[in-house]
């Protein structure tokens, strides 16, 4: 028997939409995720999500300031598993930065082990280091978490709860500053002095109409953990009004007497922007000043920094102009730098750029919110406690009746019903009077439970006295909490008292000096101009030698060096390469040496890349301005370019335009040459007058000088004068170049016999 089957067609709803709309929505979702959930801090606690989660996890683990250190790997793993599923490196990096006193004005983590240093060395692996909370973190950011003062939300897999913001009791965003790059926006808040920020916050609480300029009487400006000097004091009010601007920071420099009468310039504080690898960059820049003769008075440079602080010593000659040298450091190195301020943070769920007053306003509002929730919860607890205490005191006054009820009841529920509702049915009383009194007790349910749970020792006289005293304290607390919640002045005073306590225990003296300083002016040390020779060997090592040395050893120098160019010591050298580039660099960037000195690789002083290009010609900038340059390429394209076009400020420009697959074969400055002869790889040649080649711009391709057949190419180029005796080697014979047939440009050429 055949079985008939029915096939049901399931119709799918296909949603058609524009690809651009999907991309736009997806990108906006991604951007907001990065902005809100990763890169930017919340203005209320000054923390990014990864920092907040790490500190909360340490709090949950019990890694308190008065407890033993815990392995960083344990903290990182627990944070990643519970709250922050974005990789261990981001969590450990956040933990490390929060422990570094050279990056944070008030470190939030107490690190034990190698947590990096100011010179840019990274922290040890997390399996080697240990950490715990700082006391200020526990007191100022985490203390009231158990009082339900902030909202909690589910973690990434909804198995745990995490705080959406920490109950921070001071403006951590200003105190510790922050840096972060989101999508389409970035934040950069400098650190400030804790005591000054608290004073400014109190001033705002006393007068909410206070101006930014008045607030800056308390919070004078940034206080970088590395110290230094802010040199544009007058510009700070505008920066703190808008939340954006540039702060100029200088290192602190002193002078000491050195050995043999030398002068030591000692840098004891550095700009905040120099923290990390930029200290090494600064030392390299100072060494470059010495090598380029811009600071010829430098004798020695040494970095003597240690755990005690920064100490960079630059030894100068006896007769050095110290003030001019210090100004040179400010001008030419990062000893004077700018800190870009962009006080961007999350406020009410949105990223906003805020000035000083707005940040303080948000923090003050947050403090009122915390205090309201805290004292509302405390009041509820005290009221519940008062209710129970009153029930116990009342029970102690009629304790004989209570005992009679308990002894006469069959079970707890019967006794409880009697205490709460006055039900006496089923209870054996000693007298009718007791039964009547029992019906009038009417305790509340919490009071009845407390009475039933009360232990006998509570009936001791001293215990009853303590209960009465505790009740009096509870009543006083209720009165105080109600006053705080009902009167804004009382709440403000409580907040200010907490701020004063934090300031007294944790505030430190200001490190950064704020002043108005004149811009550094440098009197450039003029190097006496003289003729020198640039020489470079076939391995690409170059140097400069004086004219006397070259002329004395001319024959050996011409044999040893591939490129030789006479130039001024104050001028530039130009390198023309086969891919059509022109690289320039200053002669002063090369070392002045003896004939046998090795020199430096040409790659080190220019943008020339020996892996992808070859040098065709070398000339001094001053010579180029006097002559016109003749270009010949492999595909026989030629042109003449005025040498002045190559007097450029950029270190690398295009010297000529090339066709696909073409390359430069020859570049020479034109002097008294009259003829040009091209020899191809297949043995063809063409000879014609140079005047047939037109003058073009450097961006032009040029004109064709010879019709090449097949895969033939220009191999060699000869330039001759009227009576030149130059010769070509061909099949063992030497042929005079000027004896070759003279023709017109763009011919097919003649076979060389």
């Amino acid at each position: 028997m055949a079985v008939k089957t029915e096939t049901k067609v399931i119709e799918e709803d296909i949603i058609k939409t524009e690809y651009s709309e999907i991309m736009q929505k997806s990108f906006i979702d991604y951007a907001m995720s990065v902005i809100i959930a990763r890169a930017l801090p919340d203005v209320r606690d000054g923390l990014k999500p990864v920092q907040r989660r790490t500190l909360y996890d340490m709090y949950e683990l019990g890694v308190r300031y008065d407890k033993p250190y815990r392995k960083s790997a344990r903290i990182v793993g627990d944070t990643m598993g519970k709250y922050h599923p974005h990789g261990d490196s981001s969590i450990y990096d956040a933990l490390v930065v929060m422990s570094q006193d050279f990056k944070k004005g008030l470190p939030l983590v107490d690190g034990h082990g190698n947590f990096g240093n100011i010179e840019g060395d990274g922290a040890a692996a997390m399996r080697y280091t240990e950490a715990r909370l700082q006391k200020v973190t526990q007191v100022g950011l985490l203390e009231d978490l158990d009082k339900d003062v902030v909202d909690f939300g589910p973690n990434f897999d909804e198995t745990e709860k995490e705080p959406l913001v920490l109950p921070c009791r001071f403006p951590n965003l200003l105190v510790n500053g922050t840096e972060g790059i989101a999508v389409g926006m970035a934040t950069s808040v400098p650190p400030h002095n804790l005591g000054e920020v608290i004073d400014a916050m109190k001033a705002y609480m006393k007068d909410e109409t206070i101006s930014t300029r008045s607030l800056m009487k308390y919070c004078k400006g940034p206080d970088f953990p590395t110290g230094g000097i802010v040199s544009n004091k007058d510009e700070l009010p505008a920066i703190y009004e808008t939340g954006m601007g540039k702060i100029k920071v200088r290192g602190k420099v002193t002078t000491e007497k050195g050995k043999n009468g030398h002068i030591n310039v000692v840098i004891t504080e550095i700009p905040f922007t120099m923290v990390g690898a930029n200290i090494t960059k600064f030392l390299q820049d100072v060494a470059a000043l010495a090598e380029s003769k811009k600071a010829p008075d430098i004798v020695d440079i040494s970095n003597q920094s240690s755990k005690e602080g920064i100490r960079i010593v630059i030894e100068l000659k006896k007769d050095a102009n110290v003030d001019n040298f210090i100004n040179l450091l400010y001008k030419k190195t990062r000893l004077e730098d700018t800190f870009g301020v962009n006080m961007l943070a999350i406020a009410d769920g949105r990223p906003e750029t805020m000035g000083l007053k707005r940040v303080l306003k948000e923090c003050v509002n947050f403090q009122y919110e915390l205090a309201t929730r805290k004292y509302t919860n405390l009041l509820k607890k005290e009221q519940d406690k008062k209710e129970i205490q009153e029930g116990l005191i009342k029970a102690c006054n009629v304790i004989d009746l209570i005992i009679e009820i308990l002894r006469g009841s069959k079970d707890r529920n019967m006794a409880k019903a009697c205490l709460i509702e006055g039900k006496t049915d089923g209870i054996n009383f000693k007298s009718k009077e007791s039964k009547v009194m029992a019906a009038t007790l009417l305790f509340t349910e919490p009071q009845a439970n407390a009475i039933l749970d009360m232990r006998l020792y509570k009936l001791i006289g001293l215990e009853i006295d303590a209960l009465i005293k505790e009740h009096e304290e509870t009543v006083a607390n209720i009165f105080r909490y109600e006053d705080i919640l009902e009167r804004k002045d009382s709440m403000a005073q409580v907040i200010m008292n907490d701020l004063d306590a934090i300031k007294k225990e944790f505030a430190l003296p200001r490190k950064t000096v704020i002043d108005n300083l004149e811009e550094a002016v440098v009197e450039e040390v003029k190097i006496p101009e003289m003729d020198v020779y640039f020489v470079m060997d076939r391995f690409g090592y170059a140097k400069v030698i004086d004219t006397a040395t070259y002329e004395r050893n001319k024959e050996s120098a011409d044999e040893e060096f591939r490129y030789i160019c006479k130039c001024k010591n104050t001028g530039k050298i130009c390198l023309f390469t086969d891919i059509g580039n022109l690289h320039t660099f200053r002669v002063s960037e090369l070392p002045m040496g003896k004939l046998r000195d090795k020199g430096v690789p040409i790659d080190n002083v220019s943008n020339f890349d020996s892996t992808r290009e070859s040098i065709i010609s070398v000339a001094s900038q001053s010579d180029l301005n006097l002559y016109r340059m003749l270009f010949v390429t492999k595909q026989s394209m030629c042109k003449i370019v005025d040498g002045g076009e190559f007097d450029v400020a950029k270190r690398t420009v295009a010297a000529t335009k090339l066709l696909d697959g073409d390359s430069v074969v020859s570049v020479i400055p034109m002097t008294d040459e009259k003829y040009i002869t091209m020899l191809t790889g297949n043995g063809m040649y063409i000879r014609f007058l140079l005047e047939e080649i037109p003058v073009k711009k450097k961006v032009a391709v040029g004109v064709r000088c010879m019709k090449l057949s097949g895969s033939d190419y220009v191999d060699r180029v000869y330039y001759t004068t009227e009576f030149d005796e130059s010769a070509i080697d061909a099949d063992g014979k030497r042929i005079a170049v000027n004896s070759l047939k003279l023709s017109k440009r763009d011919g097919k050429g003649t076979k060389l016999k």
Side-chain angles (χ1 to χ4, degrees):
M1 181 179 177
V3 179
K4 186 178 180 181
T5 59
E6 293 184 4
T7 304
K8 292 185 178 180
V9 179
I10 301 174
E11 295 183 0
E12 295 186 32
D13 292 332
I14 299 175
I15 301 172
K16 293 184 178 181
T17 184
E18 285 288 334
Y19 183 73
S20 59
E21 292 177 6
I22 294 176
M23 286 297 295
Q24 183 180 15
K25 182 180 182 303
S26 299
F27 185 78
I28 290 173
D29 291 344
Y30 163 73
M32 290 306 297
S33 172
V34 173
I35 291 167
I36 303 297
R38 285 204 200 181
L40 300 186
D42 193 302
V43 67
R44 295 171 294 177
D45 62 5
L47 298 174
K48 299 177 186 179
V50 63
Q51 296 170 326
R52 185 180 304 117
R53 289 164 175 168
T54 303
L55 294 177
Y56 177 66
D57 186 75
M58 293 175 74
Y59 176 79
E60 286 289 285
L61 285 173
V63 192
R64 313 296 171 86
Y65 75 94
D66 53 352
K67 301 293 183 183
Y69 293 95
R70 192 76 68 88
K71 280 286 184 185
S72 299
R74 173 73 168 88
I75 297 167
V76 170
D78 202 64
T79 303
M80 183 169 59
K82 288 183 178 179
Y83 309 115
H84 196 75
H86 296 296
D88 56 355
S89 60
S90 63
I91 301 170
Y92 187 51
D93 289 346
L95 182 74
V96 168
V97 171
M98 287 192 290
S99 72
Q100 293 175 329
D101 57 3
F102 50 86
K103 285 188 179 178
K104 295 294 180 184
L106 195 67
L108 303 178
V109 172
D110 181 8
H112 184 245
N114 177 13
F115 274 83
N117 59 35
I118 195 170
E119 295 186 30
D121 296 326
M126 68 181 81
R127 61 183 178 274
Y128 298 121
T129 61
E130 297 177 328
R132 64 184 178 188
L133 293 171
Q134 290 276 15
K135 185 176 182 181
V136 66
T137 313
Q138 196 166 319
V139 172
L141 279 84
L142 299 162
E143 190 172 68
D144 292 332
L145 269 176
D146 58 342
K147 296 181 177 65
D148 190 30
V149 292
V150 293
D151 292 331
F152 280 68
N155 67 338
F156 62 92
D157 62 358
E158 299 187 357
T159 59
E160 302 277 348
K161 294 286 186 180
E162 62 175 314
L164 304 182
V165 64
L166 293 185
C168 185
R169 295 163 61 189
F170 59 90
N172 182 52
L173 179 67
L174 292 173
V175 173
N176 273 322
T178 189
E179 286 187 352
I181 299 174
V183 178
M185 58 185 68
T187 182
S188 180
V189 182
H192 296 77
N193 184 271
L194 174 64
E196 292 181 5
V197 170
I198 286 176
D199 289 341
M201 188 172 175
K202 288 168 60 182
Y204 175 82
M205 292 177 70
K206 293 174 182 177
D207 178 13
E208 294 185 357
T209 63
I210 191 171
S211 66
T212 300
R213 192 173 289 273
S214 297
L215 284 172
M216 292 189 67
K217 293 178 181 177
Y218 304 95
C219 182
K220 298 176 176 60
D223 185 23
F224 298 107
T226 56
I229 304 168
V230 171
S231 61
N232 59 334
K233 180 180 179 181
D234 288 346
E235 297 176 18
L236 294 183
I239 294 172
Y240 280 96
E241 182 70 41
T242 61
M244 299 180 69
K246 292 183 178 180
I247 296 174
K248 293 182 180 178
V249 193
R250 287 184 178 181
K252 193 171 286 186
V253 181
T254 60
T255 57
E256 298 175 355
K257 288 185 178 180
K259 297 178 182 178
N260 302 321
H262 290 181
I263 303 167
N264 287 346
V265 173
V266 183
I267 298 159
T268 56
E269 294 179 8
I270 59 174
F272 188 60
T273 53
M274 264 177 65
V275 170
N278 285 324
I279 294 180
T280 303
K281 178 69 168 59
F282 168 74
L283 296 173
Q284 292 172 348
D285 290 343
V286 175
L289 290 175
E291 290 176 4
S292 63
K293 309 300 182 186
K294 291 181 180 177
D297 294 326
I298 295 177
V299 176
D300 188 31
I301 310 165
S302 61
N303 185 3
Q304 302 174 11
S305 303
S306 63
K307 291 181 179 179
E308 282 67 41
I310 292 292
R311 181 178 169 83
I312 299 172
V313 181
I314 304 171
E315 187 179 346
L316 303 181
K317 295 176 182 177
K318 295 179 183 179
D319 55 349
N321 185 337
V322 178
D323 292 337
N324 191 64
F325 175 73
I326 293 173
N327 284 341
L328 183 68
L329 292 180
Y330 287 142
K331 200 78 174 175
K332 301 293 185 181
T333 72
R334 297 191 71 169
L335 193 61
E336 181 178 70
D337 208 354
T338 56
F339 183 96
V341 177
N342 185 16
M343 296 170 68
L344 181 71
I346 304 299
D348 298 324
R350 299 188 314 173
E352 292 188 39
T353 300
M354 296 170 274
L356 175 64
K357 183 177 178 179
R358 173 68 191 283
V359 172
L360 292 175
K361 176 186 176 183
E362 294 291 338
C363 290
V364 168
N365 290 343
F366 184 52
Q367 294 308 308
Y368 279 119
E369 180 186 335
L370 292 177
T372 300
R373 291 182 63 165
K374 174 182 177 180
Y375 288 106
T376 299
N377 292 329
L378 289 177
L379 177 62
K380 178 67 170 60
K381 288 181 180 179
E382 292 297 313
Q383 287 173 338
D384 292 343
K385 192 189 295 184
K386 174 174 174 284
E387 179 184 352
I388 292 171
Q389 289 169 345
E390 288 175 346
L392 292 176
I393 292 171
K394 179 180 175 182
C396 288
N397 292 332
V398 290
I399 191 63
D400 292 335
L401 178 60
I402 298 294
I403 292 172
E404 192 172 340
I405 293 170
L406 295 176
R407 293 184 67 181
S409 299
K410 293 180 180 178
D411 54 30
R412 181 186 175 98
N413 289 335
M414 183 180 286
K416 186 176 179 179
C418 179
L419 293 174
I420 296 173
E421 302 171 18
K423 293 181 179 179
T424 56
D425 297 340
I427 300 176
N428 295 322
F429 290 95
K430 293 181 179 179
S431 63
K432 291 182 180 181
E433 290 81 3
S434 297
K435 187 173 183 178
V436 172
M437 290 178 64
T440 61
L441 290 176
L442 302 179
F443 289 99
T444 64
E445 185 171 353
Q447 289 175 336
N449 287 329
I451 292 168
L452 293 172
D453 293 336
M454 183 176 64
R455 297 185 179 183
L456 290 175
Y457 77 89
K458 289 288 186 181
L459 300 176
I460 300 172
L462 291 176
E463 290 291 333
I464 296 173
D465 292 341
L467 179 62
I468 294 171
K469 187 176 180 181
E470 186 181 347
H471 177 255
E472 292 172 353
E473 291 176 357
T474 302
V475 172
N477 286 339
I478 291 172
F479 177 78
R480 177 168 167 263
Y481 297 157
E482 287 176 341
D483 180 65
I484 291 171
L485 291 169
E486 291 170 4
R487 295 177 58 240
K488 188 175 180 180
D489 289 347
S490 297
M491 185 176 287
Q493 191 58 53
V494 169
I495 294 171
M496 287 192 281
N497 289 343
D498 288 343
L499 290 171
D500 287 336
I502 291 172
K503 176 184 174 181
K504 183 178 179 181
E505 186 169 2
F506 302 110
L508 298 171
R510 167 173 277 278
K511 294 179 180 178
T512 301
V513 175
I514 296 179
D515 202 351
N516 284 314
L517 300 177
E518 295 182 2
E519 187 175 349
V521 178
V522 180
E523 296 178 8
E524 293 283 352
V525 179
K526 292 187 177 180
I527 304 171
E529 189 175 81
M530 63 179 186
D531 289 331
V532 293
Y533 278 88
F534 163 84
V535 294
M536 186 175 76
D537 62 22
R538 59 193 178 91
F539 300 108
Y541 283 84
K543 60 177 176 285
V544 175
I545 57 177
D546 60 69
T547 53
T549 301
Y550 173 74
E551 290 169 358
R552 193 167 54 247
N553 303 277
K554 187 176 185 306
E555 290 185 8
S556 60
D558 290 347
E559 290 179 6
E560 182 177 346
F561 297 107
R562 185 174 182 181
Y563 295 103
I564 299 174
C565 174
K566 189 175 182 179
C567 54
K568 298 289 186 183
N569 63 333
T570 56
K572 289 182 179 179
I573 296 293
C574 299
L575 307 178
F576 292 91
T577 72
D578 62 335
I579 63 173
N581 283 339
L582 167 66
H583 301 295
T584 64
F585 58 91
R586 295 186 180 278
V587 176
S588 57
E589 295 178 51
L590 289 169
M592 176 75 80
K594 298 177 182 177
L595 190 66
R596 301 302 174 196
D597 289 347
K598 189 174 183 180
V600 297
I602 200 70
D603 309 52
N604 290 4
V605 293
S606 70
N607 293 334
F608 172 71
D609 185 356
S610 58
T611 62
R612 66 185 189 91
E613 55 185 336
S614 301
I615 296 173
I616 299 298
S617 178
V618 175
S620 72
Q621 185 76 69
S622 56
D623 286 346
L624 290 181
N625 292 332
L626 299 175
Y627 301 106
R628 293 186 299 174
M629 302 298 292
L630 175 58
F631 286 79
V632 180
T633 75
K634 201 172 184 179
Q635 295 179 11
S636 83
M637 304 303 292
C638 301
K639 67 177 178 181
I640 296 172
V641 182
D642 188 275
E645 287 200 41
F646 302 109
D647 191 354
V648 292
K650 291 184 178 179
R651 292 177 69 89
T652 299
V653 295
T656 185
K657 186 177 181 181
L658 295 173
L659 299 174
D660 290 344
D662 203 0
S663 61
V664 179
V665 174
S666 174
V667 182
I668 67 157
M670 292 182 62
T671 53
D672 55 351
E673 292 85 2
K674 186 176 181 181
Y675 306 100
I676 178 172
T677 304
M678 297 182 187
L679 185 64
T680 71
N682 291 341
M684 302 293 289
Y685 77 87
I686 188 171
R687 178 170 170 260
F688 57 90
L689 292 170
L690 283 170
E691 63 188 31
E692 295 185 41
I693 301 176
V695 177
K696 298 277 187 179
K697 294 291 184 183
K698 71 175 189 288
V699 293
V701 176
V703 296
R704 188 174 63 184
C705 291
M706 183 178 184
K707 294 176 182 176
L708 301 173
S709 60
S711 60
D712 204 4
Y713 60 92
V714 175
D715 185 37
R716 286 174 281 173
V717 184
Y718 299 89
Y719 309 94
T720 54
T721 59
E722 187 75 43
F723 304 104
D724 201 313
E725 297 180 358
S726 301
I728 300 174
D729 289 325
D731 296 330
K733 297 185 292 183
R734 287 184 61 79
I735 302 172
V737 177
N738 277 353
S739 68
L740 297 173
K741 183 178 73 170
L742 188 65
S743 59
K744 292 291 185 180
R745 179 182 63 80
D746 201 24
K748 291 184 178 180
T750 307
K751 186 71 175 179
L752 188 65
K753 297 178 181 178

